[in-house]
């Protein structure tokens, strides 16, 4: 995927997506974390510690080739994407919590993503001539992730009307550009993707299901509210595959490294949609249970 479509198009598409995220954020979204510390801490611990450990176990169990193993670990280290907010809205999650988690995760990922990626590269050694994400490359991750977000937040702070008016067009533009770029990337590397799809389909599906389940059940076990648990489920379960693809191709210059994120990015939409109906029905049943048993106790 060394064409201009991917080397230039993918970073531009991600930049527009992150700019759109920034247009929807204020400093209050970060401050809101202090109002829901329990839900935020649980979500971050699952995102930053539990999921990378589970992904590492899956990679070893499936005995993936080193390059694909590192790609999976990079995917696990990627923060939640803005798509999580959409799914949370559809299935009645706490959108404010989603926005706050996305904001915090995007900042933390600047540190954790290079660390986890470098650990995976050191362990699996997919490259003979590279050591991983050095400081200069880590700065590229910073620029890719945070600078567009910061720009969007500044625009919203000083030109709120303009930011409000641009929010929807930027979202639409980011989706269109992303579809065009990914479609072009897939078309130009169709044979490579097909050759690895079978090997990656099961592990990416398992990882997605496990991520979504942990994001919902762990908060519920720790007595976090249902709407907050739905929000954390999608925030933890829907990783920013676009970010993983951009770092793999644009920063590390490897097509194969981006394959797990590419396969995950396609399958995740369907899995998350089905999971949303599952937890919505479960939450509805839990809410109706007291009402249905009340007459018996009267």
């Amino acid at each position: 995927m060394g064409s201009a479509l991917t080397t230039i198009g993918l970073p531009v598409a991600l930049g527009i997506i992150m700019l759109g995220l920034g247009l929807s954020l204020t400093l209050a979204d970060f401050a809101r974390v202090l109002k829901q510390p329990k839900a935020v801490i649980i979500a971050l611990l699952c995102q930053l510690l539990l999921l990378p450990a589970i992904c590492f176990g899956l990679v070893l169990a499936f005995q993936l080739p080193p390059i694909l193993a590192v790609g999976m670990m990079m995917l696990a280290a990627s923060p939640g994407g803005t798509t999580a907010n959409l799914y949370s809205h559809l299935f009645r999650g706490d959108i404010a919590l989603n926005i706050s988690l996305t904001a915090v995760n995007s900042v933390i990922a600047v540190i954790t993503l290079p660390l986890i990626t470098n650990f995976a590269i050191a362990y699996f050694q997919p490259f003979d001539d590279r050591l991983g994400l050095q400081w200069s490359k880590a700065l590229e991750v910073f620029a890719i992730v945070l600078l567009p977000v910061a720009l969007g937040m500044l625009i919203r702070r000083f030109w709120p009307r303009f930011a409000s008016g641009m929010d929807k067009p930027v979202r639409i533009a980011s989706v269109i550009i992303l579809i065009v770029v990914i479609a072009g990337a897939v078309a130009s590397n169709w044979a490579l993707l097909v050759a690895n799809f079978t090997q990656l389909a099961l592990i990416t599906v398992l990882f997605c299901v496990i991520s979504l389940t942990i994001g919902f059940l762990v908060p519920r076990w720790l007595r976090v509210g249902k709407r907050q648990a739905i929000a954390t489920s999608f925030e933890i379960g829907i990783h920013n595959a676009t970010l993983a693809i951009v770092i793999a191709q644009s920063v590390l210059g490897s097509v194969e490294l981006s394959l797990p994120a590419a396969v995950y990015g396609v399958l995740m939409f369907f899995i998350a949609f089905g999971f949303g109906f599952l937890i919505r029905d479960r939450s509805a049943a839990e809410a109706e249970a007291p009402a249905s048993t009340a007459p018996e106790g009267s």
Side-chain angles (χ1 to χ4, degrees):
M1 299 183 191
S3 66
L5 185 65
T6 52
T7 57
I8 299 175
L10 267 175
V12 168
L14 180 63
I16 294 174
I17 292 171
M18 301 309 285
L19 175 66
L21 172 62
L23 290 174
S24 68
L25 291 178
T26 66
L27 291 177
D29 295 316
F30 291 89
R32 193 186 299 117
V33 170
L34 300 176
K35 298 179 182 178
Q36 302 186 72
K38 184 176 181 179
V40 172
I41 290 172
I42 291 170
L44 290 178
L45 287 176
C46 290
Q47 175 83 45
L48 302 176
L49 298 177
L50 192 54
L51 289 188
I54 289 173
C55 184
F56 184 67
L58 286 174
V59 164
L60 294 179
F62 277 78
Q63 298 181 335
L64 289 184
I67 192 74
L68 299 181
V70 174
M72 279 298 302
M73 293 300 295
M74 184 181 293
L75 174 65
S78 298
T82 52
T83 309
N85 300 347
L86 172 61
Y87 276 89
S88 187
H89 173 70
L90 287 175
F91 296 104
R92 301 177 184 177
D94 187 337
I95 304 297
L97 177 59
N98 272 107
I99 293 173
S100 297
L101 283 171
T102 300
V104 174
N105 260 333
S106 297
V107 174
I108 296 177
V110 173
I111 300 172
T112 57
L113 202 154
L115 284 177
I116 293 174
T117 300
N118 279 348
F119 160 76
I121 290 174
Y123 185 89
F124 294 106
Q125 298 182 347
F127 309 122
D128 294 329
D129 57 344
R130 276 179 283 169
L131 298 176
L133 284 168
Q134 303 306 301
W135 282 111
S136 60
K137 298 295 184 181
L139 288 176
E140 287 185 46
V141 176
F142 171 82
I144 289 170
V145 175
L146 285 191
L147 290 185
V149 174
L151 177 60
M153 291 182 67
L154 286 174
I155 292 172
R156 174 160 179 172
R157 172 66 178 84
F158 293 105
W159 299 282
R161 287 188 178 180
F162 176 77
S164 179
M166 288 300 295
D167 183 50
K168 188 174 181 179
V170 167
R171 288 175 185 269
I172 294 173
S174 65
V175 171
I176 293 173
I177 293 172
L178 188 59
I179 290 174
V180 171
V181 170
I182 290 180
V186 168
S188 61
N189 292 272
W190 180 253
L192 183 62
L193 187 62
V194 169
N196 290 274
F197 186 86
T198 303
Q199 189 174 25
L200 290 169
L202 182 56
I203 189 173
T204 51
V205 166
L206 270 177
F207 180 63
C208 186
V209 170
I210 291 171
S211 299
L212 289 164
T213 303
I214 285 174
F216 182 75
L217 290 184
V218 171
R220 292 298 289 139
W221 285 335
L222 297 175
R223 301 179 181 273
V224 171
K226 294 169 188 171
R227 293 185 66 238
Q228 288 72 37
I230 291 173
T232 57
S233 175
F234 289 119
E235 192 66 35
I236 291 171
I238 299 178
H239 297 266
N240 193 336
T242 309
L243 175 61
I245 292 171
V246 169
I247 293 175
Q249 295 184 22
S250 300
V251 179
L252 289 172
S254 172
V255 178
E256 292 83 357
L257 201 61
S258 69
L259 290 175
V263 173
Y264 169 91
V266 173
L267 299 176
M268 169 270 298
F269 288 102
F270 304 101
I271 299 167
F273 199 67
F275 189 84
F277 279 106
L278 181 65
I279 59 176
R280 189 183 70 172
D281 292 342
R282 172 180 172 147
S283 298
E286 288 177 356
E288 292 173 3
S292 62
T293 56
E296 296 178 11
S298 60

